[in-house]
Amino acid sequence: MMGRRPVSLLSAMAAALLISGCGGTVERKEAPSADHAAKGFPVTVSNCGVKTTYQRPPQRSVSMNQHATEVMLALGLERSMVGTSCLDDRILPEYQGAYDGIKVLAKEYPSFEALLAAEPDFAYGGFASTFDEKEGRGRDALSKAGINSYLNIEECPSGPVTMAAMDQEIRNVAKIFGVPDRAELQLKKLHGTLDSVEDRLADTAPMKIFVYDSGDKTAFTAGGAGIGNEMIRLAGGMNLFTDLDKAFGDVSFEQVAERAPEAIVIYDYGDQSVEDKKKFLLANPALKDVPAIKNKRFAVLPLSSTVLGVRVPSGVDSLCRGPRPSGRIPPAVRPPSSAGHTGR
């Protein structure tokens, strides 16, 4: 759906490699009443250059982009939601029931008019494209219409995006809605998953990983500044283009070959299927001697697992099941003949 993402856009794995659905379950609670929650208000949040003071929690919120939607559902905020849009994958099973009760405003981004028709008082976007001024959805335009807005902080980083940014993202949203205790409960679960990964990684040799997002003339890959790079590092891997000083960028296939990745992680989204991406890489003459290509070691990450949200720890958990120094190839990165699953 998203096409070729801007530089800050792109970072749970599907069974083909990396996501095993280990994010935990969310405890459902009724949204606090405006009167009760307002006792902790007003609160002020500075977000991507926009400073907003909330006199009370939003009552009619809209989420656009999957990772934004799932952060809200993880915090039990569905009773405050009047609309969603822009799914790239299936909603996590633990949130499906809550999600089904929320109106879908559009398959992709709703028009400004459709957004206004939902009468929201708050809009939460996952990608910078959510608030596209050319499409009339700029944050200034929303503000003039009486709609406060918030953008995922991976879109305006002050440095490399780490797990600290995940913590801040979840806490910021919880603060806006007056439910800080829910953020801490959620973060305890998420960090529990990360701690268990760290415990399992003792004496594990890192595996050289190349991330293939898209591209035929050049490869659009994950650099060192996004959450995808952090996920690979925490899982005991080594992103071959961590020296690319941005979240995503283009490299030549000759550069990929020179760095000799041992496995290739494919980002699964849009109109080009995982199988088509594999076929393209296998047939690329520049890559014929690359270990990952010779051994057909591919992995798949759904787009929603590569961006800052609640899926990140479970993606790391699955990533850590990669090869060990002995050369053993676990199910996550076995060749297609034994992996079975190749898509979302």
Side-chain angles (χ1 to χ4, degrees):
M1 177 194 74
M2 299 305 302
R4 196 166 174 79
R5 301 191 274 296
V7 69
S8 63
L9 190 162
L10 191 288
S11 108
M13 287 192 168
L17 169 65
L18 300 166
I19 188 165
S20 58
C22 300
T25 57
V26 63
E27 294 180 9
R28 287 281 164 236
K29 301 179 181 179
E30 289 195 5
S33 67
D35 290 341
H36 175 73
K39 291 179 181 179
F41 284 74
V43 298
T44 299
V45 175
S46 294
N47 167 242
C48 295
V50 177
K51 188 175 182 179
T52 305
T53 297
Y54 297 85
Q55 299 299 327
R56 66 170 191 169
Q59 301 296 297
R60 297 182 59 83
S61 58
V62 168
S63 61
M64 292 177 281
N65 302 120
Q66 181 153 358
H67 50 310
T69 297
E70 290 185 343
V71 167
M72 293 196 68
L73 295 179
L75 292 171
L77 296 172
E78 62 271 12
R79 292 174 64 87
S80 300
M81 299 172 70
V82 296
T84 67
S85 68
C86 290
L87 288 192
D88 293 292
D89 305 296
R90 294 172 180 168
I91 285 287
L92 288 172
E94 57 264 41
Y95 308 141
Q96 188 67 55
Y99 175 79
D100 288 343
I102 305 167
K103 183 177 181 180
V104 176
L105 302 180
K107 183 178 179 181
E108 297 188 6
Y109 289 128
S111 66
F112 186 58
E113 292 74 18
L115 190 58
L116 291 181
E119 299 183 347
D121 57 5
F122 177 77
Y124 178 14
F127 297 132
S129 54
T130 308
F131 302 123
D132 190 338
E133 293 184 4
K134 294 180 181 179
E135 297 295 329
R137 296 188 307 271
R139 297 183 75 176
D140 285 342
L142 292 176
S143 180
K144 291 176 182 177
I147 305 170
N148 291 319
S149 61
Y150 180 88
L151 178 61
N152 186 294
I153 60 175
E154 189 175 14
E155 296 299 279
C156 53
S158 56
V161 179
T162 66
M163 289 302 164
M166 178 191 73
D167 296 355
Q168 190 62 56
E169 180 73 7
I170 292 171
R171 286 177 174 140
N172 283 352
V173 177
K175 180 180 180 181
I176 290 169
F177 283 85
V179 291
D181 291 347
R182 297 188 196 178
E184 299 313 310
L185 287 172
Q186 187 65 213
L187 289 173
K188 183 178 180 179
K189 296 175 184 177
L190 297 177
H191 280 276
T193 300
L194 293 172
D195 290 344
S196 69
V197 170
E198 185 177 4
D199 291 342
R200 299 200 307 270
L201 281 175
D203 302 319
T204 299
M207 186 177 195
K208 297 192 296 181
I209 303 294
F210 163 57
V211 172
Y212 178 66
D213 173 283
S214 57
D216 53 4
K217 304 300 182 185
T218 58
F220 196 52
T221 191
I227 194 63
N229 182 77
E230 178 78 341
M231 290 173 66
I232 291 171
R233 184 187 71 80
L234 290 176
M238 181 178 65
N239 176 15
L240 289 188
F241 289 95
T242 191
D243 57 338
L244 189 63
D245 191 23
K246 46 189 175 181
F248 294 91
D250 288 289
V251 297
S252 71
F253 287 105
E254 287 72 22
Q255 286 177 293
V256 176
E258 287 172 3
R259 300 191 183 195
E262 297 170 277
I264 296 173
V265 177
I266 294 175
Y267 283 177
D268 180 16
Y269 73 98
D271 296 330
Q272 189 179 16
S273 70
V274 170
E275 279 304 311
D276 284 344
K277 289 183 178 182
K278 287 181 182 180
K279 290 176 182 177
F280 169 75
L281 293 170
L282 288 168
N284 191 314
L287 303 179
K288 63 183 178 65
D289 294 322
V290 167
I293 293 296
K294 293 175 71 173
N295 295 302
K296 298 183 179 180
R297 291 180 184 169
F298 293 103
V300 177
L301 266 176
L303 178 61
S304 53
S305 295
T306 70
V307 286
L308 196 67
V310 295
R311 294 187 181 224
V312 168
S314 58
V316 173
D317 178 60
S318 297
L319 239 180
C320 79
R321 305 174 195 278
R324 299 296 184 258
S326 63
R328 179 179 64 84
I329 306 172
V333 291
R334 284 176 183 159
S337 60
S338 59
H341 182 73
T342 57
R344 62 178 83 176

